[in-house]
Every structure is written in structure tokens, then in C-alpha cells.
Amino acid sequence: MIIRDFDFSRDDPECLWSLYESVYSGSKAFRDRWSWEVCSYPRGDVRILIADCEGEYAGMTMRTAVPLRVQGERVRAWFATNSLVLPRYRGKGVIGKLYNNAAETGDLQLSKGTAPVMYRLLLKMGYREIVPNTYLTCVVAPLSWALWRLTGNVPFQNRKHRMDGRYGDFTEVTGIDREAFDGFDDSYYATLSQDSNYFSWRYVEAPSRNYRIYIRKQEDRTVSRCVLRLEGRTATLVDLRWNAEAGDEPRRTIRFIKDEARSQGAVKVVAWANLAPLRRILNREGFRTRRETPHFSFFSRDPRWISFPWEQAHFVHGDGDAEYL
């Protein structure tokens, strides 16, 4: 067995789709995502490692390059996305070999959205837990939520309020241009670096999800932007960025999100973020901590990351691949 990089110019992706079909009983979703996730990735660097066993792909793991901003400094890191092994090769250390090879670049390795069994394996391989990392939930329509829990059905009532009320400074947009990023200061915490191209790829062009994107402006300057996904009676806060100079942020945007979700028929809002100050604000705005977690973790031999204050790093539900899988 040889661990090697998948050669996009020479290797046949049909072999990958065959592997995917053998593990997940269908490769259509992988084919549908290929052109978006791999070919259109705006940062241009997707790495796929395969375990090649005499021409048969026994397993694979995908890495996407993500630049982080740490106090204004750009740092290269990789998110693990989509790892799998053929059933007959499991228990033979294939995943460990793939992950060890991926880490040989020396760059920071990030993982999120892993199953409990896989998460325990990552911890054995030297990955370290990033905390806090649990989900938070806010019930925005208590009576409707109770009825929904009891009967599974709630009559939909659309209550429009934001455009002509207290949230008139928020606008729903169908796309994002550079103006929404110009002068947007998020260098005061460590976070995944975004630009308009990446944001559009992630939330406008994604083939498997539909998102609602909102921006808030003050004097023609964007001071916050957020992304919601509505599915049934649940709204998920997928992304949230704000300008530290706006003294009422991010509290104002969080309150807007709750009202907007309720106006769209949602009975609860689910959020995930690991930035401790943001979690404290979410708690004060009625969000309660759940036990569920996406198992956020990292691997690095660099003392900088081992001692890094991860509770001051701002990652959200939309970072990584847990949201669009």
C-alpha cells in the first residue's frame, strides 16, 4: 500500500467515486459536489491523499487550504474534509497513515464534524480538542415550539417586521461584493480569513444548501454580516462577522437573527461558535448550551498552536465541511 497524492491531471476521479460508492452506497452526491468543492474552490489548493493498494483505492482523505488571520497575520492551515476507507481495509491503520502523511507539511491541521468513533481515533493520533465546542440553541417562539414538539406541526405565520421597524439597517442580499468587505475589521481575533470570492463560493454557489445572507450598514459601511439556513422549523446561524468598532455588535445582529428566524416561521435558532466572548453574549440573549458537539480539534507539533488560546479564536458553523456535507 502506497500513500500518495491524487494527481488531478492524471488520475481518474472514477476511482474516487467508486470508493465513495462502496462506503456510502452511492456516489451521486460526491459527483455533484466535485465541480463546486474541488474544481471551483477559490483558494485553489485542494489536496486529496489516497491509499493506493496496487491500483485499488483503499481509502482517501481530502484537505482544503484555509488561510487564518491571527492578530492581522496570515497563517496557512488545512481543514480535513471527507475521509473514508473501504470496509475490508478498516482496522489496518489506513486512516492513521493518511492523516500522518497529510500532517507532514508542518502546517496546522483542523478537523470538525467528525463522528464520535473517528473523533476518538483522532485524539489517539495526537489531535487536541478545541473548546468550547458545543452547540447552543435559542427557542424564539416558545408556544409554537411546544406545539411543534407535541404534534410535529405548527401553522406558519409570516410576520414581517424588520424592513420598516427597528431592524431597518439590515438588508437581505442575494450576493456579496467587495464593498461588504472593505474596511471590515476582524483582526482583533483569530479567524478563518474571508474575502468576497470565498464568501460567494461558500454561501451563494453552494449546490446543496440555500442560505439567507444579511448585512448591516452604518453610513455606507458594513458593520456586520450574517448567514442563516432555514430548514423546517429550525434556523441555523451559519456565519457571523462584525466590526469591533460598532459598540452594539454582535448583540444587535444576534437579536436581529432571532427576530428574522421567527418571522420566517422558525421556532428555534441553533448556533455553533467557539469564541468564548461570543458564546457569553449568546447565553445572555437566551441561547442555552447543548451536549452535542461537532468535535472541533487540531493537530500541530508547533508549540505556538499547542499553547494557543483557542477560546479567543472565532470559528463558526460554516467553517470546515460539517455544514455542507
Side-chain angles (χ1 to χ4, degrees), residues 150-322:
L150 288 171
T151 67
N153 186 35
V154 180
F156 176 76
Q157 293 181 343
N158 193 340
R159 293 171 290 182
K160 282 295 182 183
H161 58 274
R162 57 183 172 82
M163 291 305 180
D164 55 356
R166 52 182 171 164
Y167 295 113
D169 50 350
F170 284 87
T171 304
E172 183 176 1
V173 297
T174 57
I176 288 290
D177 57 29
R178 292 182 180 178
E179 291 183 0
F181 290 81
D182 289 345
F184 197 84
D185 179 19
D186 58 1
S187 62
Y188 61 98
Y189 47 55
T191 186
L192 187 149
S193 181
Q194 292 185 348
D195 58 22
S196 57
N197 290 332
Y198 175 81
F199 192 91
S200 294
W201 170 85
R202 178 65 190 83
Y203 298 119
V204 179
E205 302 166 18
S208 58
R209 301 286 193 184
N210 292 317
Y211 297 107
R212 293 179 179 268
I213 305 169
Y214 306 91
I215 61 173
R216 179 194 177 197
K217 286 194 172 184
Q218 286 184 334
E219 299 178 353
D220 296 325
R221 182 183 183 188
T222 301
V223 295
S224 76
R225 61 178 180 267
C226 60
V227 180
L228 276 180
R229 172 170 60 84
L230 289 116
E231 192 171 47
R233 296 298 181 179
T234 300
T236 301
L237 174 57
V238 179
D239 207 326
L240 174 61
R241 298 290 192 275
W242 67 93
N243 194 312
E245 295 178 1
D248 57 352
E249 289 294 348
R251 181 173 287 106
R252 180 171 174 78
T253 298
I254 292 169
R255 291 177 176 175
F256 162 75
I257 288 166
K258 292 164 56 179
D259 278 8
E260 177 65 12
R262 183 167 51 245
S263 76
Q264 296 297 329
V267 299
K268 66 177 181 178
V269 180
V270 176
W272 181 87
N274 75 295
L275 182 68
L278 174 58
R279 292 177 67 93
R280 287 194 291 270
I281 294 173
L282 288 167
N283 286 151
R284 288 196 289 268
E285 292 300 322
F287 284 78
R288 296 296 174 258
T289 303
R290 294 163 52 185
R291 294 182 180 179
E292 292 84 0
T293 170
H295 296 135
F296 195 24
S297 62
F298 78 97
F299 178 87
S300 178
R301 296 184 180 92
D302 188 339
R304 172 187 187 180
W305 300 115
I306 295 173
S307 61
F308 187 77
W310 288 101
E311 70 279 0
Q312 296 300 319
H314 181 43
F315 289 89
V316 293
H317 191 61
D319 294 334
D321 70 339

Side-chain angles (χ1 to χ4, degrees), residues 20-91:
Y20 192 89
E21 185 172 15
S22 298
V23 174
Y24 295 119
S25 301
S27 62
K28 184 178 185 304
F30 192 77
R31 292 172 185 263
D32 290 345
R33 283 173 47 187
W34 181 264
S35 60
W36 171 75
E37 183 182 11
V38 177
C39 301
S40 300
Y41 188 60
R43 292 182 170 131
D45 203 346
V46 177
R47 186 186 185 198
I48 298 177
L49 287 163
I50 56 174
D52 191 338
C53 189
E54 298 181 346
E56 180 183 41
Y57 291 178
M60 61 83 72
T61 186
M62 184 183 297
R63 298 291 185 277
T64 52
V66 289
L68 304 182
R69 286 181 59 179
V70 183
Q71 296 180 337
E73 176 190 0
R74 288 176 65 89
V75 179
R76 182 183 175 92
W78 298 83
F79 249 114
T81 59
N82 208 4
S83 303
L84 54 148
V85 176
L86 281 176
R88 64 179 175 276
Y89 286 98
R90 292 172 186 169

